[in-house]
Amino acid sequence: ETDVAINVPKPALPSPADDMAKWNEQRSWVRDFSGGSCFYANVTSGPGASPAIEGYGTAVQPFVQLLTSFQTRFDVAPDISVRLIEPSQCEITAFLRAMSVSTVEKPQLLLDRTKVPDGAPISGTLETAGGLISNVLLIDHKGMAFNLDDRITVQDGRGSFSIPIGLGASDKAAGKPVPLVMIVITGPEAIHAADFSTPKPVATALADILAEIKGKERRFSTTAKYFSLGG
């Protein structure tokens, strides 16, 4: 038998412009997805990559619906990472949604680990574009916000931190890990509303920060990192 070569046209590969357009469409679709009052989801993958989504909420079910709807809309199943938080932390989702429209480059916050033993430090690094200023907050599982600015050590334009953190007696007795979230707000100047020395309810702290940012024409960006403590 003789092999016959047939000139079959190769399928056209997506162009960078096509990848960018699809990525922007997916980001917009996810941002507009309605998952309830305590829900936030964001595309974390880049253009041309397999879609990945990070979400915050009090239940998994809305993210199951998100996965199904996304697959129906875009004919691909995204990889979704769900960060379960307490109802007292739900103001975080509203804040992240409000800040998601910003086109300013986000600060890069990296945690050394996302499961922290009781009494051990939460540690990591923070990097931003040159000339920008960051405010760093910790939101605990009881819905209180703590300013961590004075716990960040800056050297050669890079911030690092190692902050011992522990549970109260009742949480220790419960024996379950509790969710905590670090939030970084970055822009050309410090946010006065984020500069508080004593803990504040998260609803008050984040509402005040948003109000100040809106008065500055949204030249700010934010990122959040989730970790669990104890358990």
Side-chain angles (χ1 to χ4, degrees):
E1 296 182 1
T2 303
D3 292 332
V4 179
I6 301 176
N7 186 15
V8 179
K10 295 182 179 179
L13 297 175
S15 69
D18 292 336
D19 287 339
M20 181 62 72
K22 179 177 286 188
W23 181 64
N24 283 327
E25 182 183 4
Q26 291 175 348
R27 291 176 68 207
S28 178
W29 186 92
V30 170
R31 185 168 58 241
D32 294 339
F33 183 84
S34 179
S37 58
C38 186
F39 176 90
Y40 170 75
N42 179 55
V43 174
T44 56
S45 52
S50 298
I53 297 171
E54 181 181 54
Y56 288 79
T58 54
V60 173
Q61 185 56 36
F63 296 96
V64 175
Q65 296 171 353
L66 171 64
L67 187 151
T68 301
S69 298
F70 188 100
Q71 187 169 12
T72 299
R73 174 66 179 81
F74 297 105
D75 198 29
V76 61
D79 180 13
I80 301 181
S81 300
V82 181
R83 317 303 186 191
L84 292 178
I85 58 176
E86 296 291 338
S88 58
Q89 297 171 302
C90 280
E91 197 66 29
I92 293 171
T93 64
F95 179 79
L96 294 177
R97 278 200 308 273
M99 292 293 294
S100 67
V101 299
S102 173
T103 58
V104 179
E105 182 180 353
K106 291 185 177 184
Q108 299 299 310
L109 177 63
L110 299 176
L111 301 182
D112 291 336
R113 53 185 171 181
T114 56
K115 294 182 179 180
V116 180
D118 180 29
I122 177 65
S123 57
T125 58
L126 170 63
E127 294 188 54
T128 64
L132 297 182
I133 298 172
S134 294
N135 294 107
V136 184
L137 305 180
L138 174 69
I139 313 300
D140 75 4
H141 62 298
K142 297 180 180 178
M144 297 301 293
F146 301 77
N147 180 287
L148 302 181
D149 290 349
D150 62 352
R151 309 301 296 271
I152 309 297
T153 301
V154 179
Q155 188 173 14
D156 298 328
R158 183 186 189 190
S160 62
F161 54 91
S162 181
I163 308 168
I165 187 168
L167 296 171
S170 60
D171 291 318
K172 287 183 180 181
K176 295 181 180 179
V178 299
L180 291 94
V181 180
M182 289 185 70
I183 294 179
V184 179
I185 307 108
T186 297
E189 58 187 288
I191 299 294
H192 297 298
D195 185 13
F196 46 88
S197 57
T198 57
K200 277 187 175 184
V202 63
T204 301
L206 295 185
D208 290 347
I209 291 170
L210 267 183
E212 184 174 340
I213 287 174
K214 288 179 179 178
K216 299 178 184 294
E217 300 180 353
R218 294 186 179 276
R219 294 174 295 161
F220 295 79
S221 63
T222 191
T223 193
K225 289 295 181 180
Y226 173 102
F227 67 97
S228 63
L229 175 64

